[in-house]
Structures are given as structure tokens and as C-alpha cells.
């Protein structure tokens, strides 16, 4: 996806039902979809469609998918276009033939259209990073998403305080984006009453959405955080499409040094767009079996999306006081180190929610605040190396702790 534009996908299949199904699903997932019922028809429309990726059925009357793929891959103007083959059988010889013809990935029929959407995103990301280009052009800022498949694991608490820590460290303007539409807690934690929200952006024509419009829908907190709040009612959440999210987040990234996103506990289509755009995905885990299973499941999906481990950061949050799983066991099960442990400490968290003053603002020199500030520093320091940052007390304290 470039600059909020949708990726263009050409699907070639002689089965009209499959074309329709895939077209609907990929359209809903934020892609611009074109269809052709044969390789010949696809060849004819290729120059005008200029697809970013082609999904190609193998068995078709006329030229079959292998032959068409071979031709695509031998012409200089079409060879860079990634191809996903749809093979009828899962046997190894079909797969080998597909790869020999130059296919970049393959999927066995019958397939789940959601999986196809995931594969397409993963392949586009892989191809673009191999070409040394990100999936969006020259981003100025950086996006951190805070995620867990388990509700109540501390996503909002971490997102709000991470945004606050980034403001305190770098005196930067930070955007906080509430995508957790079902809970809408970020405004509450900052004691803000937003006049405009995501719902107002959803009402605009896509072409109207620019930096001024997005900023106009945000609410400024005295600390310097700009909040893009969840819709006032979860009912309007359906209007927040992947396309809208894919338009708004790059705008925020070009305007703010940091964008922190509070995610809902699911893999919805808008979330997939968000993960694709994120520099760092922060995955929260709670020290009990269900929390661990949720984290493992999320990691498996990130793996299938082709995300590198360096883009992930694991945070262990003690949302309950005792008898939790040991940190070692959690790290072994996740096969990743834990970058931050948030100890159980109900009073400051509950006080923060009740008072609408985030922990880091109410008590910036407490032990938990210091741990969060150090973590925020580790996440962001490489991006700020050459920035001209005014010395802040918090930055000096954190740098001293790291001996910088
Ligand atoms: N380390 C902690 N110690 C004590 N209480 C905590 C801790 N972390 C979070 N909490 C509490 O757990 C509850 C859930 O936290 P929070 O709302 O941040 O989670 P969430 O993942 O955003 O939840 P939801 O899925 O509802 O959006 C809150 O009451 C919060 O105060
Ligand atoms: Mg929340």
C-alpha cells in the first residue's frame, strides 16, 4: 500500500464463484481487486491494471496457470509482480511445478479467503522489504502497536503510559490512537472528552482525508499527547474500514515523531493493516496459562505473516499479585526474551484510571514509571539518535541508568 493507496490485486480463475468470493473478501480487506476468467484475458488487461500482485489458478481452459506464470516471469516488465498460485491438490509435485514456473507462493484449493488475504499481505511485505523499500514511502515517524489476544492484559495502560513516556523523554509530539473500539478507554485514562473521533473520519470521503482533517478529529492532552479516540459507540466501529486505517495511519506517521496504537484483542482486517505499518509490535503476556496461549497464538500468526522477530517486543504484565508462571518458562514457551516486566501494583493503576491522570504523569519518579520510561527509551533511542532533543530530566535519569 503506497501513500494510503490500495494495493491492486489481479485474480485469474475460470470459476466465477471463486472470483466473486475472493473479490468480496479482498475488497473488504482493503485491496483493489481486478478479475480475469482466463490467462488470455489477464494478459489483455495487465498493462492497464498494473497489479501489485497476481493470484493465479492452475487449471484453466486455454493457457494453464503454470504456462501463464512462466510467461509473466520471463518478461522484464511483469517479472517483478509476485504471483500466488491456487493449486487444486496439495501434493508436492504440484507445489514444485508452481515454484518451477516462478510462483512466489501457493495455496491449496479449497482455501480460506482470509488466509489468502494474509498470504497476500505477507508476500507484498516480503517482496518490498527484499527490494529495500518499505510498504509505505519514506515514513518520518514510527509506529508502536500494543497488542494481546487476551482482553484485560493491560494494553490501554501500557499504550497510554508509553505515549506519555515518549513525550517525557523526547519532548516530542506523540499520537495515541485508540483502535480498541469495544472498550474506548484511552480518552477515559487521559480524562479527555473528545468532540471528534474515528467515527467522524469514517463519515468523510476517502479523498477528503488529509493531515488537517485527521488532526481536526484528534483531541489534545495537556501533556502533548494527541488522541485519536474510539467512536462514541462500538456500533459505529464497523465503519472504520481497513482502507480508512491504511489512509489515516501513514498521515499520522508523517506528522508525529511517534504513533502509539491501542489495539483490540483480535486479528480483524483493520488490525492487519495496522500490524503491516507498525515498526514495533508490542505483545503483552500475562503470567498464566490462558495468557501464555494467547501470546503463543499471536506469535504464530505474526510468523505466518512473515514478520521478523526484531519487530516484536514482549512485555510481561503482572495483572494479578501471585502464583504466576515463572518468567523463564514464559520465555521458553514463546521462544523470545521478555523486554519489560510490569510488576503487579494495583493501587497506581486503579488510581490512574479513577483520576484520569496516567501513572507516569501522576507519579513520574515511582519505580514502575521508571521501568516504563527505560523501556520507552530502549524502543525509541535508535530513531532519535540524530534528533535535536532538548535535555529533559527524565531523559537524563534514564540515560544515566544505561550509562549513556
Ligand atoms: N501491572 C498491573 N498491576 C495491577 N493492575 C493492573 C496492571 N496492569 C493492568 N492492571 C489493571 O488491569 C485492568 C485492565 O487493564 P487495561 O484496561 O490496561 O487492559 P486492556 O488490555 O486494555 O483491557 P481491554 O481488553 O478491556 O481493553 C485495569 O483495571 C488495570 O488497572
Ligand atoms: Mg483497553
Amino acid at each position: 500500500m503506497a501513500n494510503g493507496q490500495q494495493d491492486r490485486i489481479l485474480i485469474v480463475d475460470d470459476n466465477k464463484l471463486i472470483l466473486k468470493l475472493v473479490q468480496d473478501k479482498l475488497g473488504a480487506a482493503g485491496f483493489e481487486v481486478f478479475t480475469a476468467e482466463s490467462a488470455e484475458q489477464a494478459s489483455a488487461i495487465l498493462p492497464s491494471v498494473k497489479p501489485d500482485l497476481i493470484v493465479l489458478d492452475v487449471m484453466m481452459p486455454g493457457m494453464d496457470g503454470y504456462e501463464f506464470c512462466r510467461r509473466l516471469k520471463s518478461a522484464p516488465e511483469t517479472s517483478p509482480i509476485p504471483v500466488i498460485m491456487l493449486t487444486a491438490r496439495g501434493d508436492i509435485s504440484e507445489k514444485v511445478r508452481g515454484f518451477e514456473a516462478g510462483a512466489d507462493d501457493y495455496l491449496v484449493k479449497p482455501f480460506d479467503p482470509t488466509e489468502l488475504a494474509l498470504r497476500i499481505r505477507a508476500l507484498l511485505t516480503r517482496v518490498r522489504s527484499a527490494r529495500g523499500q518499505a510498504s509505505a514511502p519514506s515514513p518520518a515517524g514510527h509506529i508502536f502497536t500494543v497488542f494481546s489476544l487476551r482482553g484485560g492484559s493491560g494494553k490501554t495502560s501500557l499504550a497510554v503510559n508509553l505515549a506519555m513516556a515518549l513525550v517525557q523523554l523526547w519532548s516530542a509530539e506523540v499520537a495515541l490512537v485508540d483502535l480498541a473500539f469495544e472498550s474506548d478507554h484511552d480518552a477515559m485514562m487521559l480524562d479527555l472528552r473528545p468532540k471528534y473521533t474515528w467515527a467522524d473520519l469514517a463519515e468523510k470521503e476517502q479523498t477528503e482525508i488529509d493531515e488537517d482533517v485527521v488532526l481536526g478529529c484528534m483531541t489534545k492532552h495537556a501533556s502533548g499527547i494527541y488522541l485519536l479516540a474510539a467512536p462514541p459507540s462500538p456500533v459505529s466501529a464497523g465503519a472504520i474500514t481497513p482502507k480508512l486505517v491504511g489512509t489515516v495511519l501513514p498521515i499520522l506517521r508523517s506528522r508525529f515523531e511517534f504513533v502509539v496504537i491501542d489495539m483490540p484483542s483480535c486479528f480483524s482486517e483493520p488490525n492487519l493493516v495496522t500490524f503491516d505499518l507498525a515498526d514495533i509490535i508490542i505483545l503483552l503476556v500475562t503470567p498464566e496459562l490462558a495468557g501464555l496461549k494467547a501470546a503463543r497464538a499471536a506469535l504464530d500468526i505474526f510468523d505466518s505473516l512473515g514478520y521478523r522477530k526484531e519487530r516484536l517486543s514482549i512485555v510481561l504484565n503482572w495483572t494479578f499479585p501471585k502464583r504466576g508462571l515463572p518468567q523463564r518458562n514464559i520465555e521458553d514457551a514463546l521462544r523470545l526474551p521478555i523486554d519489560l516486566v510490569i510488576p503487579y501494583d494495583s493501587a497506581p493503576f486503579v488510581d490512574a484510571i479513577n483520576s484520569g491522570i496516567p501513572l507516569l504523569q501522576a507519579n513520574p519518579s515511582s519505580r514502575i514509571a521508571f521501568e516504563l520510561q527505560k523501556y520507552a527509551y530502549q524502543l525509541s533511542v535508535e530513531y532519535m539518535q540524530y534528533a535535536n532533543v532538548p535535555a529533559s530530566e527524565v531523559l537524563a535519569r534514564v540515560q544515566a541508568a544505561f550509562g549513556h
Side-chain angles (χ1 to χ4, degrees), residues 10 39 42-54 56 67-83 101-104 127 131:
L10 173 63
S43 295
I45 61 170
L46 256 180
S48 57
V49 168
K50 294 195 181 64
D52 294 295
L53 182 145
I54 298 175
L56 187 55
E67 182 53 31
F68 185 46
C69 187
R70 217 169 281 124
R71 290 190 189 193
L72 286 170
K73 293 295 177 181
S74 56
E77 63 277 18
T78 53
S79 66
I81 307 172
V83 173
D104 300 87
V127 167
R131 283 182 204 150

Side-chain angles (χ1 to χ4, degrees), residues 146-159 178 180 182-186 188-189 262-265 284 286 316-321 341-353 368:
V146 182
F147 182 65
S148 157
L149 277 174
R150 189 153 164 77
S153 53
K155 295 180 296 297
T156 304
S157 302
L158 181 58
D178 193 349
E182 76 290 353
S183 44
D184 174 24
H185 286 157
D186 293 66
M188 186 183 77
M189 286 212 194
D262 182 12
M263 304 284 286
S265 305
L284 272 166
T286 46
L316 172 61
N317 188 16
W318 279 83
T319 49
F320 55 94
V341 179
I342 307 176
Y344 175 77
D345 201 342
S346 69
F349 281 97
V350 174
D351 288 352
I353 293 176
I368 291 190

